[in-house]
Amino acid sequence: MEQMAGVLSFCGANWPGERFSRDGFAAAEEFRVITAVSHFYTVMLMPPILRQAYVVQGDVVQTVPTQHGQAGDYVLARYIGTKATTVGLIKTSTLQAVQPAHQQSGILFIRGEYQAIREALPLLTTEQADISDLSTEGGEATAYRDVDGRIRLIELSLYFDTGMIREEFYFSEGSLIFVLRARHQYNAPFYLVQEEADAIGVEAFDAGKTRITEDRFYFQQGKMIRWLDDHRKAMAAESPSFEDNEKELQARASDLLSRFDPSQ
């Protein structure tokens, strides 16, 4: 095999079904097809060319990273059928990660804890913390404690001139288990009124044109195990943005906890 920037190139029918990187290799990941039909594309031609081979909704393919395409548009995938096996590029937008059994059980636990916390909100005590240093236009942070004084939820709102971020951090036994993030993107700075906008030939602020996107992040034993984007699509765990979000949210959760419990 020829190695290109840390990723071993495709070697035909003898593809071992393993992921290679500069850090070593790991078993190929499994993804389920979520569209009616997902075609395979040629491997070495740019842009990739559509092939006749395809998989259908519900089929499971094995995938490894590829440098073909832009911004993770494609992954190198193998499908083992009852009559034939084929390998090629597949569009990532047509796939959703198949969660390992231990992660599935973890997500079920997280959803149960989330529901329990939401139902218990009227019984939880609240308190606020100073977070003026976290955004340009101020912000708010509210912690919810149970009868034992444990923080179960922290709600965070950060304000900026062109939008705002709302995050909900859920905890179980002091550990982060779930984060819901909503980004509000304004069409213009909130202070840009119609008269000023007309004077410079741009659009004035209109709250009705605010675009809201939501992401959901699941944590188990200090690691992020799942990230669902605004379309409820599972994002690839090996992507740089997955690791970046994991580190950012863990750091934010720790910082917030320390603001409410300075002794920790």
Side-chain angles (χ1 to χ4, degrees):
M1 289 185 177
E2 176 188 1
Q3 185 170 350
M4 298 175 60
V7 178
L8 292 175
S9 61
F10 170 64
C11 64
N14 293 323
W15 180 57
E18 294 170 336
R19 184 175 74 247
F20 289 80
S21 71
R22 291 186 178 91
D23 300 323
F25 71 92
E29 292 187 82
E30 290 188 336
F31 283 76
R32 182 173 287 106
V33 180
I34 58 174
T35 55
V37 175
S38 181
H39 279 270
F40 283 88
Y41 290 74
T42 55
V43 175
M44 298 307 296
L45 300 177
M46 288 299 294
I49 298 175
L50 184 73
R51 292 169 45 198
Q52 291 185 346
Y54 64 88
V55 284
V56 299
Q57 189 172 24
D59 285 342
V60 175
V61 298
Q62 297 175 317
T63 69
V64 293
T66 177
Q67 294 181 329
H68 298 282
Q70 299 295 322
D73 293 338
Y74 299 89
V75 290
L76 182 60
R78 177 175 68 176
Y79 175 69
I80 303 176
T82 56
K83 296 182 179 180
T85 296
T86 188
V87 177
L89 299 181
I90 280 186
K91 288 186 176 180
T92 56
S93 60
T94 67
L95 304 176
Q96 186 175 69
V98 175
Q99 296 293 324
H102 73 281
Q103 290 188 7
Q104 291 178 6
S105 61
I107 290 172
L108 289 176
F109 169 78
I110 293 167
R111 288 174 174 167
E113 286 287 279
Y114 170 87
Q115 188 64 30
I117 293 170
R118 298 305 304 181
E119 292 176 355
L121 280 183
L123 304 176
L124 303 181
T125 59
T126 63
E127 61 184 90
Q128 282 70 45
D130 179 20
I131 58 164
S132 57
D133 58 313
L134 295 182
S135 61
T136 58
E137 299 296 329
E140 303 167 343
T142 302
Y144 294 77
R145 295 183 187 269
D146 61 19
V147 293
D148 296 319
R150 297 172 301 188
I151 292 178
R152 302 304 309 278
L153 166 65
I154 297 177
E155 293 178 337
L156 175 68
S157 297
L158 299 175
Y159 303 102
F160 305 91
D161 58 353
T162 57
M164 63 176 294
I165 298 174
R166 293 190 185 276
E167 293 176 333
E168 298 174 0
F169 295 80
Y170 292 82
F171 301 88
S172 177
E173 301 296 334
S175 296
L176 179 65
I177 58 171
F178 180 66
V179 179
L180 175 62
R181 172 192 285 164
R183 295 183 182 273
H184 298 240
Q185 184 65 47
Y186 304 154
N187 68 306
F190 69 88
Y191 50 77
L192 189 60
V193 297
Q194 191 65 56
E195 182 178 357
E196 295 175 348
D198 291 341
I200 57 178
V202 297
E203 188 176 34
F205 170 69
D206 184 345
K209 294 183 178 180
T210 298
R211 181 173 179 267
I212 303 175
T213 57
E214 289 188 343
D215 291 87
R216 291 162 171 79
F217 307 90
Y218 298 78
F219 289 80
Q220 184 178 30
Q221 297 179 348
K223 297 291 293 182
M224 193 164 80
I225 60 173
R226 195 180 195 191
W227 167 21
L228 299 181
D229 69 3
D230 188 54
H231 303 288
R232 299 295 183 93
K233 176 185 174 183
M235 306 302 289
E238 69 272 9
S239 66
S241 54
F242 191 99
E243 182 179 358
D244 290 343
N245 275 294
E246 178 182 37
K247 292 179 179 179
E248 176 187 348
L249 293 172
Q250 287 175 329
R252 177 88 78 197
S254 296
D255 178 51
L256 291 172
L257 286 174
S258 69
R259 290 171 189 255
F260 286 101
D261 291 318
S263 61
Q264 293 188 2

